[in-house]
Amino acid sequence: MREESLLRSSLKNWSLNQLKSVQNGALFLDVEDAPPWLHSSPGGTVSFEHRNIKGLNRSILGSVTTSNFFSAQEDLSFKLEYVHPYLDGVYNSRNQTLRASCFNIRKLSPVFTGGPGVDEVPPIWVDRAGMKANITENFTRQSKFTYGIVMEEITTSDESSHISSNGQRVLPSGGISADGPPTTLSGTGIDRMAFLQANITRDNTKFVNGAIVGDRNVFQVDQGLGIGSKFPFFNRHQLTLTRFIQLKEVEEGAGKPPPPVLVLNGHYGGCVGDLPSYDAFTLGGPYSVRGYNMGELGASRNILELGAEIRIPVRNTHVYAFAEHGNDLGTSKDVKGNPTEVYRRMGCGSSYGVGVKLGLVRAEYAVDHNTGTGSVFFRFGERY
């Protein structure tokens, strides 16, 4: 194969109101005498790939994202990654692959989110800038192990991009008070840290006429090194177990119907040692407990999430029903400033609902069991 380079951009234009809920938009060029719509807020993602360097399948990948290219310094995100496969030779079955990257990522923190009936909580943004290097190797065709180091600087800021050392609250008078829970370990709004990271995945899933069946287990550990602001030393660990149980034997082959599948999922997360609020485990959201906004149930030191979903094939897609529960195991109070209590969240919650898969989109109706109200959601990708 020969070397090749690719440059991609996604093109669109966002109004100021849309930017409050959409972080990835598109790119427009600034030209004189532009139409009025061009003067709102052009943003988006530009990505670059250079593949198969020197014919050795090495590659350089890069992307830049912003919601406003005219003021990109306010929320610019980027990632530049170098991928080097076959560290131990082309014919070694373990296929060690090195990935080294530098990054700057900006996301809205779900830790500073209000519970039911709470007026809108002023958002806190978390910027992470740093470097990461890891090696992935295959133990078997079903198991892989990734280990490496992360060094990053974390900055928390308000909606105006001013550094915020504390969360904010809306006062009865309509004013904003900045006396909420601390946003960083250092108390300054800026943290620096280095930690080791390891992840082992065992994936025994397969496709039966397009339906996933089998089991998947993922275990991840982040180990603080005591390097950085306030010398952070911690052990953060997560275990996810997922089972895709085939409920009916079917004949396999092209054009044959897929079987009904029962999905069972459990996720546990815990942290021992120093825990800044931006690394607290959050409950609620499309990949936690559906039917709630991200972080709506709480932020805690330990969490347990349980879920079940039954998928029934219908023509060229499937419909499904699900039930999920998330619990902070009583550890919300162990997060500095107790943001769960400050923003009046429950610390636990359940939901149930139904959905249909429409191509890449999941259309779902989910009932929030805490309030008994239901909502319709549209999500991309799979929950499990």
Side-chain angles (χ1 to χ4, degrees):
M1 293 178 62
R2 60 183 177 85
E3 288 188 39
E4 60 178 358
S5 298
L6 298 173
L7 179 66
R8 296 191 183 96
S9 63
S10 54
L11 305 178
K12 209 167 190 178
N13 194 66
W14 302 108
S15 68
L16 292 175
N17 288 334
Q18 287 173 310
L19 289 176
K20 293 181 179 179
S21 58
V22 179
Q23 296 182 46
N24 294 335
L27 169 66
F28 277 93
L29 299 178
D30 185 15
V31 296
E32 295 182 4
D33 302 321
W37 50 263
L38 191 57
H39 296 290
S40 52
S41 295
T45 299
V46 176
S47 60
F48 169 81
E49 298 179 26
H50 187 66
R51 299 174 176 171
N52 201 30
I53 298 172
K54 295 185 177 181
L56 298 173
N57 208 27
R58 300 167 189 171
S59 59
I60 295 177
L61 315 171
S63 65
V64 177
T65 300
T66 180
S67 60
N68 187 351
F69 279 98
F70 297 156
S71 300
Q73 71 277 7
E74 294 180 0
D75 73 339
L76 183 70
S77 296
F78 69 84
K79 183 176 182 180
L80 181 64
E81 182 177 51
Y82 171 67
V83 182
H84 186 128
Y86 311 118
L87 282 179
D88 47 357
V90 175
Y91 301 105
N92 192 311
S93 60
R94 299 183 75 165
N95 184 18
Q96 290 185 330
T97 299
L98 168 69
R99 295 178 182 270
S101 63
C102 58
F103 57 86
N104 183 61
I105 301 171
R106 187 173 195 255
K107 291 186 177 180
L108 194 62
S109 174
V111 172
F112 299 90
T113 300
V118 176
D119 293 333
E120 184 177 351
V121 176
I124 294 292
W125 292 86
V126 178
D127 293 87
R128 296 175 184 264
M131 297 178 291
K132 178 178 181 179
N134 61 44
I135 293 175
T136 299
E137 56 183 272
N138 298 324
F139 288 159
T140 66
R141 297 188 63 175
Q142 292 80 29
S143 302
K144 64 180 180 179
F145 180 45
T146 300
Y147 51 95
I149 187 170
V150 181
M151 295 177 288
E152 60 183 3
E153 178 182 86
I154 302 97
T155 305
T156 54
S157 56
D158 60 18
E159 202 167 16
S160 301
S161 296
H162 298 133
I163 293 176
S164 293
S165 58
N166 292 84
Q168 300 176 336
R169 298 182 297 116
V170 177
L171 299 174
S173 62
I176 295 179
S177 172
D179 62 352
T183 59
T184 57
L185 196 63
S186 66
T188 64
I190 300 176
D191 279 351
R192 297 179 179 89
M193 67 173 63
F195 58 93
L196 302 177
Q197 188 173 78
N199 176 299
I200 185 165
T201 301
R202 181 169 178 79
D203 191 339
N204 284 317
T205 59
K206 64 177 182 177
F207 286 97
V208 175
N209 298 342
I212 297 179
V213 300
D215 59 87
R216 182 189 303 127
N217 305 322
V218 182
F219 180 60
Q220 178 171 314
V221 174
D222 299 338
Q223 178 60 56
L225 299 173
I227 300 174
S229 308
K230 297 287 185 178
F231 309 104
F233 191 78
F234 56 85
N235 180 276
R236 189 168 54 244
H237 43 274
Q238 300 182 68
L239 174 65
T240 303
L241 307 176
T242 309
R243 300 290 181 267
F244 302 88
I245 303 171
Q246 183 173 337
L247 298 180
K248 179 183 177 182
E249 292 296 327
V250 295
E251 182 182 354
E252 297 186 40
K256 301 295 183 179
V261 175
L262 173 65
V263 185
L264 301 177
N265 177 263
H267 173 240
Y268 169 78
C271 182
V272 178
D274 296 313
L275 178 66
S277 62
Y278 50 77
D279 279 337
F281 296 102
T282 57
L283 287 167
Y287 300 102
S288 174
V289 182
R290 286 174 278 189
Y292 300 89
N293 294 323
M294 289 186 65
E296 185 181 342
L297 289 174
S300 59
R301 183 174 285 270
N302 300 311
I303 61 167
L304 178 65
E305 296 171 341
L306 302 172
E309 181 175 292
I310 186 167
R311 300 172 176 176
I312 306 297
V314 176
R315 296 193 177 182
N316 295 323
T317 185
H318 66 259
V319 297
Y320 55 93
F322 63 87
E324 296 178 331
H325 175 77
N327 199 299
D328 67 2
L329 302 177
T331 63
S332 288
K333 64 182 184 303
D334 299 324
V335 178
K336 272 193 172 183
N338 197 350
T340 297
E341 181 179 57
V342 169
Y343 298 118
R344 290 187 284 176
R345 291 174 285 184
M346 298 291 292
C348 64
S350 303
S351 68
Y352 56 89
V354 295
V356 59
K357 190 75 183 295
L358 304 172
L360 297 176
V361 178
R362 288 183 287 125
E364 299 177 342
Y365 176 78
V367 177
D368 164 355
H369 194 260
N370 286 350
T371 63
T373 58
S375 302
V376 175
F377 299 89
F378 294 91
R379 310 291 189 189
F380 287 95
E382 295 288 351
R383 167 64 176 93
Y384 304 115

